[in-house]
Amino acid sequence: MDLGVHGKAFVITGGSDGLGLATARSLLTEGAHVTICGRDKRRLDDAVTELGHDVHAVSADVTRIDDLTNLIETATDRWGRLDGLLNAAGVHTAGRFEDITDEAWIADYELKFLAAARAIRLALPHLRTSHGAVVNVLSTGARTPGRKAMPSAPLRAAGLSMTKALATELGPDRIRINAILVGVIRSGQIQRPALEPGRDVQEYLHTMAERMRIPLGRVGEPHEFGDTAAFLLSPRASYITGTAVHVDGGHCHAI
């Protein structure tokens, strides 16, 4: 399927690794222009090496408003337009409520909620012109939080609420905004516990899927997320807004 994104321009926060990198790969395959950002220069350089020089990489800490402003400005200067934004920056945090300090709540809020809100606000003038789209990367914890899910789950729920509210508010401007609720996707983050003791990674991931009772019987692959995100950002999803798509192998519905 031709997604209709050839020549269109997209910004991906957290695009140097994991889900953001997978989405960049999917969009570039379709002929889009992509700007990614990240805090780690080595990872950014590795991403450019992997994706090719068609990708535009910007060093940025999304919790800093000046960095976000520079990201949007340099991306629009580079491509002359902005058609979509993927908010994928974030790290996994999970603990017991009574163990989470004020500092941890604030850090997670700034990274997972405030950064996304700021990026959307900065992108809005350009998205109004292009009638573009936003995708917020959340987790299944936004709807079905498990034990020891603090502070991430409540903030992901806030991100889902913002997504739905903005879909109503921005609909008249023909700007679409959706969320992806992510389950377990193969990444360095989830494979690391297997690599350190020298376990077999495939066996480790299979055991994880069994333990979590994922209906499809396996963890997800990065391209399965990236292709979904690229679709939601594309004109092919032109009548989809305010929704949350589960990319979790059915796990959330099986709980």
Side-chain angles (χ1 to χ4, degrees), residues 82-248:
L82 179 60
D83 299 276
L85 167 69
L86 180 80
N87 283 309
V91 295
H92 178 67
T93 51
R96 297 190 312 162
F97 175 76
E98 62 190 294
D99 295 332
I100 307 303
T101 64
D102 286 359
E103 290 77 16
W105 277 106
I106 292 167
D108 225 45
Y109 164 74
E110 290 181 343
L111 177 61
K112 293 177 180 171
F113 184 85
L114 186 57
R118 284 171 166 168
I120 295 168
R121 186 178 68 225
L122 291 166
L124 271 183
H126 308 286
L127 297 177
R128 284 195 173 99
T129 299
S130 63
H131 304 307
V134 176
V135 172
N136 291 322
V137 181
L138 308 174
S139 72
T140 55
R143 280 184 171 160
T144 54
R147 297 173 57 220
K148 299 181 181 179
M150 304 294 173
S152 185
L155 292 169
R156 293 309 196 188
L160 180 57
S161 180
M162 177 174 67
T163 298
K164 291 181 174 294
L166 283 178
T168 301
E169 184 173 327
L170 301 178
D173 293 325
R174 293 170 59 192
I175 297 173
R176 297 179 299 103
I177 177 164
N178 293 290
I180 298 180
L181 304 190
V182 185
V184 183
I185 304 291
R186 180 197 295 267
S187 67
Q189 189 175 50
I190 71 164
Q191 290 181 170
R192 228 165 270 129
L195 293 172
E196 289 171 1
R199 299 176 187 150
D200 180 87
V201 172
Q202 287 299 116
E203 182 181 341
Y204 172 78
L205 295 176
H206 178 71
T207 301
M208 177 185 289
E210 284 189 333
R211 187 179 71 249
M212 296 181 67
R213 293 182 290 179
I214 297 173
L216 287 184
R218 62 178 178 84
V219 303
E221 296 296 332
H223 73 86
E224 293 176 306
F225 173 90
D227 290 348
T228 303
F231 167 73
L232 288 174
L233 288 167
S234 80
R236 289 290 189 177
S238 58
Y239 203 55
I240 302 175
T241 194
T243 194
V245 176
H246 288 256
V247 181
D248 66 351

